[in-house]
Amino acid sequence: ITNGSLNDVIEIDAASNNGVEDVRVIRDTSIFPPTIADYKVYIIDEVHMLSTAAFNALLKTLEEPPSNVVFILATTEVHKVPATILSRAQRFDFKKITTLDIVEHLRYILTQLNVAYEEEALFIIARSAQGGMRDALSILDMAIIYSDEKVSVQDANSVTGSLTYENMEKYLVAIVEKNTQEALHLIEEILAQGKEAKRFLEDVLLYLRDLLLYQQAPKMIEEKFAQVRPTFIELSQQLTTAKIFKIIEVFNTTNQEIRFSNNAQIQLEVATVKILDEAQTIQTTDSASQQEIDILKQDILVLQKEIVELRKNGTQTTSAKKQKPVKQAPSSSYKEPVERVLNILPTANKAIKEEFKNVWGDLLNMLTIPQKANFMQYSIGAATPTQVVLVYQKEVAFLAGKVAGDEELKEAVKHGLARLTQYSPELIPMTTEGWSEVLELFKGNNTQNQEEAPEAKDDFVDRAMEMFGDVVDIKDE
């Protein structure tokens, strides 16, 4: 069989013989018994390349094969083989050979041939073979021909088109140091040496994959490569997992775009600038977030002092009649906009209020962290196209005065609602006490109007329902 002199073993390349007529020849000749061996064996390589009609022609023979005939269907894409064929065959999956096993076998061959070699060169060849021993041996043959009495790393890189570890490490070091000029210069230099852009991306992606594995399971990489380079260890410490994921994401996208580009170098340069630009953006964002956190901490300290002061003043009791009155909390100094809100209520609209409530969560996401801290234990009391009344609970009543004096915050709310809705209302904060007073006055005014004009009662009820919705409880007295 190895010499190809046994006529009972027939190998057919389905990539070039994939028609119905080719399968019919197999079907017609399989009925004849073997001449020398006990079985006649048909090896159909790349069987997934057969046409649908050819598969149908082969199916009959597979269903009722002659007793002395064996079919071997070989493929690397078993998912393309019809289920009717798979159900009538035994399946044997040949797994990829590990990199260490390939290196060990290459080492054995070179030792038998008395050919000198560099250990790292064998790993480059083994990784390029991607689990196939046949490909590894073919690459090794070419490396021996290119070599000068010794298979070197340079020979292995020349044959496989791979990048040297030094080039990949220099590039990633430039990324870590945010040296855009150096990173772009390395890309130009590597491509000028004849390296393919797609291979550049694949090699860097493999290197990043190894960095991730080393961060999570260092022993796995140590067993895989036997010796880990010092620069590799330094990069695993300098590059965070999130940063590695980001570079992989950009390179994967670039790898797809290169297929449709006439200038791969431009794609690589754009990807490099994007990675470095996002790194700077992340750093700036982190710095801004830290500033916001510091501001928020200061606000919390102020609030804590106010709470301590409130508790201190609230617990001062004495039986003396001439005792000075307790100092009011800072929130009590805020003048409730009762008259203003009272004038707003007649034009308040429930539909607009509901629209504001639906987008309020998105509005808060548009604000900074310190600005968000001003919104707790509150509700939207009423709304018009030009005003929205925010009612704070008693526990956080001081926020009403704080928000009323924060013009920047009110402007941010106004612009945010303008982006989310068709309105850009002014924010009017007040406490539950002030809101209750407004409702009582509004009710009293309308009751007086009803006494003067009883026929307006129904209109008033309808108007109240329109403004406040389900919170209105109608009672006939």
Side-chain angles (χ1 to χ4, degrees), residues 19-123:
V20 178
E21 294 299 327
D22 299 308
V23 174
R24 284 176 180 171
V25 172
I26 299 174
R27 186 183 62 187
D28 295 340
T29 58
S30 64
I31 60 176
F32 300 109
T35 57
I36 299 176
D38 295 332
Y39 291 90
K40 181 180 287 188
V41 180
Y42 289 91
I43 303 173
I44 305 179
D45 194 16
E46 303 293 345
V47 70
H48 65 274
M49 298 292 289
L50 291 178
S51 64
T52 303
F55 271 124
N56 292 333
L58 181 63
L59 182 59
K60 182 63 177 177
T61 306
L62 293 181
E63 287 178 339
E64 300 176 0
S67 59
N68 53 1
V69 174
V70 175
F71 287 94
I72 298 177
L73 312 180
T75 179
T76 55
E77 301 182 44
V78 68
H79 60 279
K80 293 184 179 181
V81 180
T84 52
I85 301 293
L86 293 176
S87 63
R88 290 165 175 82
Q90 291 182 344
R91 175 168 173 166
F92 299 91
D93 291 322
F94 292 88
K95 300 179 180 179
K96 291 184 178 181
I97 304 174
T98 64
T99 302
L100 287 179
D101 288 339
I102 294 177
V103 168
E104 184 179 352
H105 190 62
L106 297 181
R107 190 185 295 120
Y108 169 78
I109 293 173
L110 292 173
T111 302
Q112 295 297 316
L113 296 175
N114 292 322
V115 176
Y117 60 89
E118 293 181 3
E119 189 74 13
E120 188 175 331
L122 301 186
F123 279 95

Side-chain angles (χ1 to χ4, degrees), residues 405-474:
D406 193 337
E407 296 298 331
E408 183 179 353
L409 172 60
K410 291 193 291 184
E411 194 67 21
V413 171
K414 184 176 181 179
H415 286 301
L417 288 176
R419 292 177 58 185
L420 297 170
T421 65
Q422 59 179 331
Y423 309 108
S424 55
E426 181 184 358
L427 182 63
I428 303 176
M430 65 187 317
T431 66
T432 51
E433 295 180 359
W435 180 243
S436 299
E437 183 180 351
V438 169
L439 294 181
E440 288 295 330
L441 291 173
F442 183 71
K443 180 180 177 182
N445 291 341
N446 283 277
T447 302
Q448 183 179 0
N449 292 335
Q450 291 174 36
E451 291 176 353
E452 296 174 356
E455 64 277 2
K457 179 178 180 181
D458 293 336
D459 292 338
F460 166 69
V461 172
D462 294 340
R463 189 63 179 162
M465 288 294 294
E466 180 182 352
M467 286 189 293
F468 304 108
D470 298 337
V471 298
V472 176
D473 185 15
I474 302 173

